[in-house]
Amino acid sequence: IRKLLLTYPAILDYNLERHMLPIAVYFLSSEGLDFSPFELRKIILKFPRLMTHSLFKVKHVVGYLRYQLGMDATEVRRVLYQAPQVISLSTDDTVVSKVTYIRDVLGLTDKDGRDLRKVIAGMPTLLLCSIDKNIKPKVDYLLDQFHDDEMELKQAVLTLPTLLGYSLEKRIRPRMARLVGIGVEPIKITVAITMKDENFDAWLE
């Protein structure tokens, strides 16, 4: 509680029974999202402003994930656990534009939307990233390294959705440069990017 209040003291301005309790019940109940108390605690500490939004807003975002993107309950829970800040975004503008960009630039156009859901659920924080400042520069760089092979880019991200979560300058570019420098196929970035530095060095040898 102390950490929560220090992080966001304005939470005390919201009515416990009429505002915060219904949200907590929705997150905890089997009829709602079915999180454990421990999981809800982690979510609130990660995003205290969750409790400043209305239950209607929370359900609206959940509805978008379930019925517009077709996510199952497990995928929705993963998105909200990993990136609860998505509750604060506009589903009619911000979220839709990011989902559309990710779908189009990666060619995730299968009819049932399974590939798109795999990427979003595999890396929920993509919904919080800027397209122009974060996602697009990474996509452009990887596509260049894959010699404009869009299918290879798609396969890389489907293999490792978290690939787009790594820093371009601190992780993706340096690792890719070393791979290409010794003649390793660029697609191996999906393996190389996840390793600790010492394991990566040993793997290259």
Side-chain angles (χ1 to χ4, degrees), residues 46-62:
K46 185 181 296 184
F47 183 53
R49 291 176 182 269
L50 168 67
M51 290 299 180
T52 71
H53 294 283
S54 67
L55 180 58
F56 176 83
K57 179 67 163 72
V58 174
K59 289 184 174 182
H60 183 70
V61 173
V62 171

Side-chain angles (χ1 to χ4, degrees), residues 17 96 118:
E17 292 186 359
V96 170
K118 181 178 180 179

Side-chain angles (χ1 to χ4, degrees), residues 42-205:
K42 296 278 287 185
I43 289 170
I44 293 174
L45 288 176
K46 185 181 296 184
F47 183 53
R49 291 176 182 269
L50 168 67
M51 290 299 180
T52 71
H53 294 283
S54 67
L55 180 58
F56 176 83
K57 179 67 163 72
V58 174
K59 289 184 174 182
H60 183 70
V61 173
V62 171
Y64 173 78
L65 296 174
R66 285 297 301 269
Y67 304 113
Q68 296 297 314
L69 294 187
M71 289 185 169
D72 60 29
T74 300
E75 290 169 331
V76 171
R77 282 166 41 84
R78 178 175 172 80
V79 170
L80 294 180
Y81 187 74
Q82 296 290 335
Q85 298 90 337
V86 73
I87 293 295
S88 67
L89 303 180
S90 168
T91 54
D92 298 326
D93 182 20
T94 307
V95 176
V96 170
S97 64
K98 291 177 182 180
V99 168
T100 301
Y101 177 80
I102 292 168
R103 181 197 66 203
D104 293 348
V105 79
L106 297 177
L108 306 175
T109 55
D110 54 311
K111 291 184 178 179
D112 63 4
R114 184 180 304 174
D115 288 346
L116 178 60
R117 292 195 298 273
K118 181 178 180 179
V119 171
I120 299 298
M123 188 61 191
T125 53
L126 283 177
L127 297 178
L128 309 178
C129 295
S130 165
I131 293 175
D132 293 332
K133 296 180 180 179
N134 191 306
I135 304 174
K136 186 176 185 300
K138 295 172 185 176
V139 168
D140 289 346
Y141 173 76
L142 289 170
L143 190 57
D144 179 66
Q145 295 301 306
F146 294 146
H147 307 293
D148 293 325
D149 188 332
E150 295 178 353
M151 287 301 297
E152 192 165 23
L153 172 64
K154 174 182 177 180
Q155 187 57 50
V157 177
L158 283 175
T159 299
L160 187 72
T162 55
L163 174 61
L164 295 178
Y166 288 94
S167 167
L168 176 59
E169 298 303 328
K170 295 181 180 179
R171 191 78 163 194
I172 299 175
R173 195 186 297 272
R175 290 285 172 96
M176 183 67 84
R178 292 189 63 186
L179 290 179
V180 174
I182 61 172
V184 176
E185 295 180 350
I187 192 64
K188 294 296 184 182
I189 190 67
T190 58
V191 177
I193 201 75
T194 64
M195 297 180 179
K196 294 182 178 180
D197 289 339
E198 57 271 24
N199 293 337
F200 178 60
D201 291 338
W203 182 69
L204 288 182
E205 297 175 358

